[in-house]
Coordinates of all heavy atoms in Angstrom, one line a residue:
G330 N 12.9 9.6 16.7 CA 12.6 10.2 15.4 C 12.7 9.1 14.4 O 13.1 8.0 14.6
A331 N 12.2 9.4 13.1 CA 12.2 8.4 12.0 C 11.5 7.1 12.5 O 11.8 6.0 12.1 CB 13.5 8.1 11.4
A332 N 10.5 7.3 13.4 CA 9.7 6.2 14.0 C 8.3 6.3 13.3 O 7.6 7.2 13.7 CB 9.7 6.2 15.5
R333 N 8.0 5.3 12.5 CA 6.8 5.3 11.7 C 6.7 6.6 10.8 O 5.6 7.0 10.4 CB 5.6 5.2 12.6 CG 5.6 3.9 13.3 CD 4.3 3.6 14.1 NE 4.5 2.3 14.9 CZ 3.7 1.3 14.7 NH1 2.7 1.3 13.9 NH2 4.0 0.2 15.5
T334 N 7.8 7.1 10.5 CA 7.9 8.2 9.5 C 9.3 8.2 8.9 O 10.2 7.5 9.4 CB 7.5 9.6 10.2 OG1 7.5 10.6 9.1 CG2 8.5 10.0 11.2
V335 N 9.6 9.0 7.9 CA 10.9 9.0 7.3 C 11.9 9.9 7.9 O 13.1 9.5 8.1 CB 10.8 9.3 5.8 CG1 12.1 9.4 5.1 CG2 9.9 8.2 5.0
T336 N 11.5 11.1 8.4 CA 12.4 12.1 8.8 C 12.6 12.1 10.3 O 11.9 11.4 11.1 CB 12.0 13.5 8.3 OG1 10.7 13.7 8.8 CG2 11.9 13.5 6.8
G337 N 13.6 12.9 10.7 CA 13.9 13.1 12.2 C 14.7 12.0 12.8 O 14.6 11.8 14.0
S338 N 15.5 11.3 12.0 CA 16.3 10.2 12.5 C 17.0 10.5 13.8 O 17.8 11.4 13.9 CB 17.3 9.7 11.5 OG 18.0 8.6 11.9
C339 N 16.7 9.7 14.9 CA 17.3 9.9 16.2 C 17.0 8.7 17.1 O 15.8 8.5 17.5 CB 16.8 11.2 16.8 SG 17.7 11.6 18.4
H340 N 18.0 7.9 17.4 CA 17.8 6.7 18.3 C 18.8 6.7 19.4 O 20.0 7.1 19.2 CB 17.9 5.4 17.5 CG 17.3 5.5 16.1 ND1 15.9 5.8 16.0 CD2 17.8 5.4 14.8 CE1 15.7 5.8 14.7 NE2 16.7 5.6 14.0
M341 N 18.4 6.3 20.6 CA 19.3 6.3 21.7 C 19.6 4.9 22.2 O 18.7 4.1 22.4 CB 18.8 7.1 22.9 CG 19.8 7.3 24.0 SD 18.9 7.6 25.6 CE 18.3 9.2 25.3
V342 N 20.9 4.6 22.3 CA 21.3 3.3 22.8 C 21.9 3.5 24.2 O 22.8 4.4 24.4 CB 22.4 2.6 21.9 CG1 22.9 1.3 22.5 CG2 21.8 2.4 20.5
T343 N 21.4 2.8 25.2 CA 21.9 2.9 26.5 C 22.6 1.6 26.9 O 21.9 0.5 26.8 CB 20.8 3.2 27.5 OG1 20.0 4.3 27.0 CG2 21.3 3.5 28.9
I344 N 23.8 1.6 27.3 CA 24.5 0.4 27.8 C 25.2 0.8 29.1 O 26.0 1.7 29.2 CB 25.6 0.0 26.7 CG1 24.8 -0.5 25.5 CG2 26.4 -1.2 27.3 CD1 25.6 -0.5 24.2
G345 N 24.8 0.1 30.2 CA 25.2 0.5 31.5 C 24.7 1.9 31.8 O 23.6 2.2 31.5
K346 N 25.7 2.7 32.2 CA 25.3 4.1 32.5 C 25.6 5.0 31.3 O 25.5 6.3 31.4 CB 26.0 4.6 33.7 CG 27.5 4.6 33.6 CD 28.1 5.0 35.0 CE 29.6 5.3 35.0 NZ 30.5 4.4 34.3
H347 N 26.0 4.4 30.1 CA 26.3 5.3 29.0 C 25.2 5.4 28.0 O 24.5 4.4 27.7 CB 27.5 4.6 28.3 CG 28.7 4.4 29.2 ND1 29.6 5.4 29.5 CD2 29.1 3.3 29.8 CE1 30.5 4.9 30.3 NE2 30.2 3.6 30.6
R348 N 25.0 6.6 27.5 CA 23.9 6.8 26.5 C 24.6 7.5 25.3 O 25.2 8.5 25.3 CB 22.9 7.8 27.1 CG 22.3 7.4 28.4 CD 21.5 8.5 29.0 NE 20.1 8.2 28.9 CZ 19.2 9.1 29.2 NH1 19.5 10.3 29.6 NH2 17.9 8.8 29.2
F349 N 24.3 6.8 24.1 CA 24.8 7.3 22.9 C 23.7 7.5 21.9 O 22.8 6.7 21.8 CB 25.9 6.4 22.2 CG 27.2 6.5 22.9 CD1 27.5 5.7 24.1 CD2 28.2 7.4 22.5 CE1 28.7 5.9 24.7 CE2 29.4 7.6 23.2 CZ 29.6 6.8 24.3
L350 N 23.8 8.6 21.1 CA 22.7 8.8 20.1 C 23.2 8.4 18.7 O 24.4 8.6 18.4 CB 22.4 10.3 20.0 CG 21.5 11.0 21.0 CD1 21.2 12.4 20.5 CD2 20.2 10.2 21.2
L351 N 22.3 7.8 18.0 CA 22.6 7.6 16.6 C 21.7 8.6 15.8 O 20.5 8.6 15.8 CB 22.1 6.1 16.2 CG 22.7 5.0 17.0 CD1 22.0 3.7 16.8 CD2 24.2 4.9 16.7
D352 N 22.4 9.6 15.2 CA 21.8 10.7 14.5 C 21.0 11.7 15.4 O 20.6 11.3 16.5 CB 20.8 10.2 13.4 CG 21.5 9.5 12.3 OD1 22.8 9.6 12.2 OD2 20.9 8.8 11.5
S353 N 20.8 12.9 14.8 CA 20.0 13.9 15.5 C 19.4 14.7 14.3 O 19.8 15.8 14.1 CB 20.8 14.7 16.4 OG 20.0 15.7 17.0
G354 N 18.4 14.1 13.7 CA 17.9 14.7 12.4 C 16.7 15.5 12.6 O 16.0 15.5 13.6
Q355 N 16.4 16.3 11.5 CA 15.3 17.3 11.5 C 14.1 16.6 11.0 O 14.2 15.8 10.0 CB 15.7 18.5 10.7 CG 14.9 19.7 11.0 CD 15.6 20.9 10.4 OE1 16.8 21.2 10.6 NE2 14.9 21.6 9.6
F356 N 12.9 16.9 11.6 CA 11.6 16.4 11.0 C 11.3 17.3 9.8 O 11.4 18.5 9.9 CB 10.5 16.4 12.0 CG 10.7 15.4 13.1 CD1 11.3 15.8 14.3 CD2 10.2 14.1 13.0 CE1 11.4 14.9 15.4 CE2 10.4 13.2 14.0 CZ 11.0 13.6 15.2
Q357 N 10.9 16.7 8.7 CA 10.5 17.5 7.5 C 9.2 17.0 7.0 O 8.9 15.9 7.1 CB 11.6 17.3 6.4 CG 13.0 17.9 6.8 CD 14.1 17.5 5.9 OE1 14.5 16.3 5.8 NE2 14.5 18.4 5.0
G358 N 8.5 17.9 6.4 CA 7.2 17.6 5.7 C 6.1 18.4 6.3 O 6.3 19.6 6.5
P359 N 4.9 17.8 6.5 CA 3.8 18.7 7.0 C 4.1 19.2 8.4 O 4.9 18.8 9.1 CB 2.6 17.7 7.0 CG 3.2 16.3 7.0 CD 4.5 16.4 6.3
W360 N 3.3 20.3 8.7 CA 3.6 21.0 10.0 C 3.5 20.1 11.2 O 4.2 20.3 12.2 CB 2.6 22.2 10.1 CG 2.7 23.0 11.4 CD1 1.7 23.2 12.3 CD2 3.9 23.6 11.9 NE1 2.2 23.8 13.4 CE2 3.5 24.1 13.2 CE3 5.2 23.7 11.5 CZ2 4.4 24.8 14.0 CZ3 6.1 24.4 12.4 CH2 5.7 24.9 13.6
E361 N 2.5 19.1 11.2 CA 2.4 18.2 12.4 C 3.7 17.6 12.7 O 4.1 17.3 13.8 CB 1.4 17.1 12.1 CG 0.0 17.6 11.8 CD -0.2 18.0 10.4 OE1 -0.1 17.2 9.5 OE2 -0.5 19.2 10.2

Side-chain angles (χ1 to χ4, degrees):
R333 297 187 186 237
T334 186
V335 173
T336 59
S338 181
C339 185
H340 318 302
M341 187 202 289
V342 174
T343 307
I344 293 160
K346 59 183 191 315
H347 306 279
R348 305 170 109 188
F349 284 88
L350 279 191
L351 303 168
D352 291 346
S353 177
Q355 205 165 302
F356 291 96
Q357 294 170 286
W360 173 240
E361 298 80 65

